[in-house]
Each structure stands twice: as C-alpha cells, then as structure tokens.
Amino acid sequence: MNIDFNKSNDGLVPVIIQNYLNNKVLMLGYMNEEAFNKTQEIGKVTFFSRSKNRLWTKGEESGNFLEVKSIAVDCDNDTVLIKAKPFGPTCHTGSKTCFNEETNHGFVYELEQTINDRIDSNNDPDSYTNKLFKRGINKVAQKVGEEAVELVIEAKDNNDDLFINEAADLVYHYLILLKAKGFKLEDVENILKSRENDPRRPE
C-alpha cells in the first residue's frame, strides 16, 4: 500500500473512517507513517493527534475503539479510507458519528450482525433468536412463511401500523433464515446487482 506521506509539510494524510456495516462516515482524523503502521499492527485505528502531538489510538481512554476491517487508499495516494467496527459511540459527544448522522439507513446490516453474534455466541439461552435458530431450518422457514402470509393479509387492509410491523417481522425472520442457510444480505444484493443490466430480464 503506497501512501505518499510527503505531500504535506507535516507528513500527515487525512483518514476517513466508515462503519463497515452501513458505510456511515464516523469521523475524520490524520495519520503519519508511524500511526498508519501501528494501525495495521494492532488492528485498531490509531491517529497522530495534532493537539497531543503524539500517536493516539482511538478509544485508549474511553474504550470506544475502532476495529479495522479494511483499508483503502485513494487514486492520488494521499488519503486513506478505513472501514471499521465501532465499539461504542465514535464522537466524544456520545454521538455515533462525529457528523451527528443519527439515521437508520443501513440499520438492517447492523441487525444482521446482531442476529449473527447472538447465534454464534450462544450466550443467551432465553433469546428468541437463539431458540428459533436451534429448532432447525424447517421451523425457521415455516416462521418466514407465516410472517409473509400475515404481511399479505395486512396489505389488504387499511391499518398502516399493523402492515409496517408485519413487514418488520418478516425482515427480521428472513435474516434468521439467511443465517440458517449460511448466507448474508450481501449475497442477495450481489444477485440483485447482477440482474440490473441483464438483457434477458424485462424492464
């Protein structure tokens, strides 16, 4: 990874941090070569703090670390993009992002990760998610079918609140079914993307 730290007089390059699940921009910081190397070494985002004039691992005091998932460099080799898993709020104000972007866009990916973690860790035997998953693929698939039918029924009525709640139930159970089959939302997205420019499919 060829980063040009000499483009600026202070040897720093800007680093954009994104949430690896939903691509929300979490914060902007700066790294020198030493900070970048330490980030790669420990797997936690480490900046060069201009106010402290030293290396600073995000979360070293608060515990709100940023676990590195991927690193990319822009076409001019002078800006870094890091996708990370945040542990706790990123901003010192307590906000999830330093840009106060408190939206639900991308939350489904966070929910998918929560479901996967709950099933994989198996640390809550009373969890509904765990109980359903342990009943096997047939029961999970049956539950998705039931939720789909309930959604269709509510679609024929005029109660928007019931309809949207049934839609949420269906998505939730669908995520469990994907987990049971060993797939992720990303796999479904890839299929949909591949169909986008398929000349065999009608507009």
Short mmCIF file of all heavy atoms in Angstrom, two decimals, residues 171-198:
data_model
loop_
_atom_site.label_atom_id
_atom_site.label_comp_id
_atom_site.label_asym_id
_atom_site.label_seq_id
_atom_site.Cartn_x
_atom_site.Cartn_y
_atom_site.Cartn_z
N VAL A 171 -38.85 -9.17 7.75
CA VAL A 171 -37.43 -8.91 7.51
C VAL A 171 -36.58 -9.55 8.62
O VAL A 171 -35.55 -10.17 8.33
CB VAL A 171 -37.16 -7.39 7.44
CG1 VAL A 171 -35.66 -7.11 7.43
CG2 VAL A 171 -37.82 -6.80 6.21
N TYR A 172 -37.02 -9.42 9.85
CA TYR A 172 -36.27 -9.98 10.98
C TYR A 172 -36.12 -11.50 10.83
O TYR A 172 -35.01 -12.04 10.97
CB TYR A 172 -36.99 -9.65 12.28
CG TYR A 172 -36.38 -10.28 13.50
CD1 TYR A 172 -35.22 -9.77 14.08
CD2 TYR A 172 -36.96 -11.40 14.09
CE1 TYR A 172 -34.66 -10.34 15.20
CE2 TYR A 172 -36.41 -11.99 15.20
CZ TYR A 172 -35.26 -11.45 15.76
OH TYR A 172 -34.70 -12.04 16.86
N HIS A 173 -37.21 -12.17 10.55
CA HIS A 173 -37.15 -13.63 10.44
C HIS A 173 -36.42 -14.07 9.16
O HIS A 173 -35.77 -15.12 9.13
CB HIS A 173 -38.56 -14.23 10.50
CG HIS A 173 -39.18 -14.15 11.86
ND1 HIS A 173 -39.93 -13.07 12.27
CD2 HIS A 173 -39.11 -15.00 12.91
CE1 HIS A 173 -40.32 -13.27 13.52
NE2 HIS A 173 -39.84 -14.42 13.93
N TYR A 174 -36.51 -13.25 8.13
CA TYR A 174 -35.78 -13.53 6.89
C TYR A 174 -34.27 -13.51 7.16
O TYR A 174 -33.53 -14.34 6.62
CB TYR A 174 -36.17 -12.49 5.85
CG TYR A 174 -35.32 -12.47 4.61
CD1 TYR A 174 -35.26 -13.56 3.75
CD2 TYR A 174 -34.56 -11.34 4.28
CE1 TYR A 174 -34.49 -13.53 2.61
CE2 TYR A 174 -33.79 -11.30 3.14
CZ TYR A 174 -33.75 -12.39 2.31
OH TYR A 174 -32.98 -12.36 1.17
N LEU A 175 -33.82 -12.59 8.00
CA LEU A 175 -32.39 -12.53 8.35
C LEU A 175 -31.96 -13.79 9.10
O LEU A 175 -30.84 -14.28 8.91
CB LEU A 175 -32.11 -11.28 9.19
CG LEU A 175 -32.25 -9.93 8.48
CD1 LEU A 175 -32.05 -8.79 9.47
CD2 LEU A 175 -31.25 -9.82 7.34
N ILE A 176 -32.82 -14.30 9.95
CA ILE A 176 -32.51 -15.55 10.65
C ILE A 176 -32.42 -16.70 9.66
O ILE A 176 -31.55 -17.57 9.75
CB ILE A 176 -33.55 -15.85 11.74
CG1 ILE A 176 -33.58 -14.73 12.79
CG2 ILE A 176 -33.25 -17.20 12.43
CD1 ILE A 176 -34.63 -14.91 13.86
N LEU A 177 -33.33 -16.70 8.67
CA LEU A 177 -33.31 -17.76 7.65
C LEU A 177 -32.03 -17.69 6.83
O LEU A 177 -31.42 -18.73 6.52
CB LEU A 177 -34.53 -17.63 6.74
CG LEU A 177 -34.66 -18.67 5.63
CD1 LEU A 177 -34.74 -20.08 6.20
CD2 LEU A 177 -35.87 -18.37 4.75
N LEU A 178 -31.60 -16.48 6.46
CA LEU A 178 -30.34 -16.34 5.73
C LEU A 178 -29.19 -16.92 6.55
O LEU A 178 -28.33 -17.63 6.02
CB LEU A 178 -30.06 -14.87 5.42
CG LEU A 178 -30.80 -14.23 4.25
CD1 LEU A 178 -30.42 -12.76 4.12
CD2 LEU A 178 -30.51 -14.97 2.95
N LYS A 179 -29.16 -16.61 7.84
CA LYS A 179 -28.12 -17.14 8.73
C LYS A 179 -28.17 -18.66 8.77
O LYS A 179 -27.13 -19.34 8.69
CB LYS A 179 -28.30 -16.56 10.13
CG LYS A 179 -27.42 -17.19 11.21
CD LYS A 179 -25.95 -16.88 10.99
CE LYS A 179 -25.11 -17.39 12.15
NZ LYS A 179 -23.66 -17.18 11.92
N ALA A 180 -29.37 -19.21 8.86
CA ALA A 180 -29.53 -20.66 8.93
C ALA A 180 -29.04 -21.34 7.64
O ALA A 180 -28.55 -22.47 7.67
CB ALA A 180 -31.00 -21.03 9.19
N LYS A 181 -29.16 -20.63 6.52
CA LYS A 181 -28.73 -21.19 5.24
C LYS A 181 -27.28 -20.86 4.92
O LYS A 181 -26.75 -21.29 3.90
CB LYS A 181 -29.64 -20.67 4.11
CG LYS A 181 -31.07 -21.19 4.18
CD LYS A 181 -31.15 -22.69 3.94
CE LYS A 181 -30.77 -23.05 2.52
NZ LYS A 181 -30.91 -24.50 2.25
N GLY A 182 -26.64 -20.06 5.79
CA GLY A 182 -25.23 -19.74 5.58
C GLY A 182 -24.99 -18.60 4.61
O GLY A 182 -23.90 -18.51 4.02
N PHE A 183 -25.98 -17.73 4.44
CA PHE A 183 -25.84 -16.60 3.53
C PHE A 183 -25.96 -15.29 4.28
O PHE A 183 -26.36 -15.25 5.45
CB PHE A 183 -26.89 -16.65 2.42
CG PHE A 183 -26.69 -17.80 1.46
CD1 PHE A 183 -27.51 -18.92 1.52
CD2 PHE A 183 -25.70 -17.74 0.50
CE1 PHE A 183 -27.32 -19.97 0.65
CE2 PHE A 183 -25.51 -18.79 -0.39
CZ PHE A 183 -26.32 -19.91 -0.32
N LYS A 184 -25.64 -14.19 3.58
CA LYS A 184 -25.75 -12.85 4.14
C LYS A 184 -26.54 -11.96 3.18
O LYS A 184 -26.73 -12.30 2.01
CB LYS A 184 -24.36 -12.25 4.38
CG LYS A 184 -23.56 -12.96 5.45
CD LYS A 184 -22.24 -12.23 5.69
CE LYS A 184 -21.46 -12.87 6.83
NZ LYS A 184 -20.19 -12.14 7.11
N LEU A 185 -26.97 -10.82 3.69
CA LEU A 185 -27.66 -9.85 2.85
C LEU A 185 -26.83 -9.47 1.63
O LEU A 185 -27.35 -9.25 0.54
CB LEU A 185 -27.98 -8.59 3.65
CG LEU A 185 -29.28 -8.57 4.45
CD1 LEU A 185 -29.35 -7.30 5.29
CD2 LEU A 185 -30.48 -8.68 3.54
N GLU A 186 -25.53 -9.41 1.83
CA GLU A 186 -24.64 -9.04 0.73
C GLU A 186 -24.76 -10.02 -0.43
O GLU A 186 -24.65 -9.63 -1.60
CB GLU A 186 -23.20 -8.98 1.23
CG GLU A 186 -22.20 -8.47 0.21
CD GLU A 186 -20.80 -8.37 0.76
OE1 GLU A 186 -20.58 -8.74 1.93
OE2 GLU A 186 -19.91 -7.91 0.01
N ASP A 187 -24.97 -11.30 -0.12
CA ASP A 187 -25.12 -12.29 -1.17
C ASP A 187 -26.38 -12.02 -2.00
O ASP A 187 -26.38 -12.17 -3.23
CB ASP A 187 -25.20 -13.70 -0.56
CG ASP A 187 -23.94 -14.06 0.20
OD1 ASP A 187 -22.84 -13.85 -0.35
OD2 ASP A 187 -24.04 -14.54 1.34
N VAL A 188 -27.44 -11.61 -1.31
CA VAL A 188 -28.69 -11.29 -2.01
C VAL A 188 -28.50 -10.04 -2.86
O VAL A 188 -28.97 -9.96 -4.00
CB VAL A 188 -29.84 -11.09 -1.00
CG1 VAL A 188 -31.13 -10.73 -1.72
CG2 VAL A 188 -30.03 -12.35 -0.16
N GLU A 189 -27.81 -9.05 -2.30
CA GLU A 189 -27.52 -7.83 -3.05
C GLU A 189 -26.74 -8.13 -4.33
O GLU A 189 -26.99 -7.54 -5.38
CB GLU A 189 -26.73 -6.85 -2.18
CG GLU A 189 -27.57 -6.07 -1.20
CD GLU A 189 -26.78 -4.99 -0.51
OE1 GLU A 189 -25.53 -5.11 -0.44
OE2 GLU A 189 -27.38 -4.03 -0.03
N ASN A 190 -25.79 -9.04 -4.23
CA ASN A 190 -24.97 -9.39 -5.39
C ASN A 190 -25.83 -9.98 -6.50
O ASN A 190 -25.61 -9.70 -7.69
CB ASN A 190 -23.87 -10.36 -4.99
CG ASN A 190 -22.79 -9.71 -4.15
OD1 ASN A 190 -22.62 -8.49 -4.18
ND2 ASN A 190 -22.05 -10.51 -3.40
N ILE A 191 -26.81 -10.80 -6.12
CA ILE A 191 -27.71 -11.37 -7.12
C ILE A 191 -28.54 -10.28 -7.78
O ILE A 191 -28.68 -10.23 -9.00
CB ILE A 191 -28.63 -12.43 -6.48
CG1 ILE A 191 -27.82 -13.63 -5.99
CG2 ILE A 191 -29.71 -12.87 -7.48
CD1 ILE A 191 -27.12 -14.39 -7.09
N LEU A 192 -29.10 -9.39 -6.95
CA LEU A 192 -29.91 -8.30 -7.50
C LEU A 192 -29.08 -7.40 -8.41
O LEU A 192 -29.54 -6.96 -9.46
CB LEU A 192 -30.51 -7.48 -6.35
CG LEU A 192 -31.55 -8.20 -5.49
CD1 LEU A 192 -31.93 -7.34 -4.29
CD2 LEU A 192 -32.79 -8.54 -6.31
N LYS A 193 -27.84 -7.14 -8.00
CA LYS A 193 -26.95 -6.31 -8.80
C LYS A 193 -26.65 -6.96 -10.15
O LYS A 193 -26.60 -6.30 -11.19
CB LYS A 193 -25.66 -6.05 -8.04
CG LYS A 193 -24.67 -5.14 -8.75
CD LYS A 193 -25.22 -3.73 -8.90
CE LYS A 193 -24.22 -2.82 -9.52
NZ LYS A 193 -24.76 -1.44 -9.74
N SER A 194 -26.45 -8.28 -10.11
CA SER A 194 -26.13 -8.99 -11.36
C SER A 194 -27.29 -8.96 -12.34
O SER A 194 -27.11 -9.10 -13.55
CB SER A 194 -25.75 -10.44 -11.05
OG SER A 194 -26.88 -11.19 -10.63
N ARG A 195 -28.51 -8.78 -11.82
CA ARG A 195 -29.70 -8.75 -12.68
C ARG A 195 -29.96 -7.37 -13.26
O ARG A 195 -30.77 -7.23 -14.18
CB ARG A 195 -30.94 -9.18 -11.88
CG ARG A 195 -30.92 -10.62 -11.42
CD ARG A 195 -32.13 -10.89 -10.55
NE ARG A 195 -32.18 -12.29 -10.11
CZ ARG A 195 -33.10 -12.76 -9.27
NH1 ARG A 195 -34.02 -11.94 -8.79
NH2 ARG A 195 -33.07 -14.02 -8.91
N GLU A 196 -29.28 -6.36 -12.71
CA GLU A 196 -29.58 -4.96 -13.07
C GLU A 196 -29.45 -4.71 -14.57
O GLU A 196 -30.29 -4.05 -15.18
CB GLU A 196 -28.67 -4.02 -12.29
CG GLU A 196 -29.00 -2.56 -12.50
CD GLU A 196 -28.10 -1.65 -11.67
OE1 GLU A 196 -26.99 -2.09 -11.28
OE2 GLU A 196 -28.50 -0.50 -11.43
N ASN A 197 -28.38 -5.23 -15.16
CA ASN A 197 -28.14 -5.00 -16.58
C ASN A 197 -28.27 -6.29 -17.41
O ASN A 197 -27.67 -6.40 -18.48
CB ASN A 197 -26.74 -4.41 -16.78
CG ASN A 197 -26.60 -3.06 -16.08
OD1 ASN A 197 -27.47 -2.21 -16.19
ND2 ASN A 197 -25.50 -2.88 -15.37
N ASP A 198 -29.09 -7.19 -16.92
CA ASP A 198 -29.29 -8.46 -17.62
C ASP A 198 -30.30 -8.24 -18.76
O ASP A 198 -31.47 -7.97 -18.51
CB ASP A 198 -29.80 -9.52 -16.65
CG ASP A 198 -29.85 -10.91 -17.26
OD1 ASP A 198 -29.78 -11.01 -18.51
OD2 ASP A 198 -29.94 -11.88 -16.50
#
